[in-house]
Amino acid sequence: MAIHPSHVPVINAVFSPRPDELARAARLVAAVEDGQGRGAGAVTFEGEMADEAMAATARLSLEQRAAYPAPPSA
């Protein structure tokens, strides 16, 4: 909850995914989709298991960033 509108930029900065997190999300989606194309239900992604549930969460982050781009820096 924000007490004042001036708090919103700080809240957005703290809780928005960083560029490196968004890049990882895009790589995860690509890896899972590649695996699905080969008939795999899960893949090894950067040393960890990844599946459609994780890809769906990553897609949501990417879609939200596209819908609400970060404002220019002051």
Side-chain angles (χ1 to χ4, degrees), residues 2-72:
I3 302 295
H4 190 273
S6 67
H7 299 162
V8 173
V10 173
I11 292 168
N12 286 341
V14 170
F15 290 101
S16 294
R18 297 182 318 263
D20 62 312
E21 293 172 318
L22 293 169
R24 185 179 190 279
R27 292 192 312 273
L28 185 144
V29 169
V32 169
E33 289 177 352
D34 179 63
Q36 290 171 337
R38 293 181 283 109
V43 297
T44 300
F45 171 72
E46 298 182 3
E48 298 178 2
M49 185 279 300
D51 61 9
E52 178 54 35
M54 295 171 73
T57 300
R59 279 188 207 97
L60 181 59
S61 292
L62 294 167
E63 289 167 5
Q64 288 176 337
R65 175 50 69 183
Y68 302 100

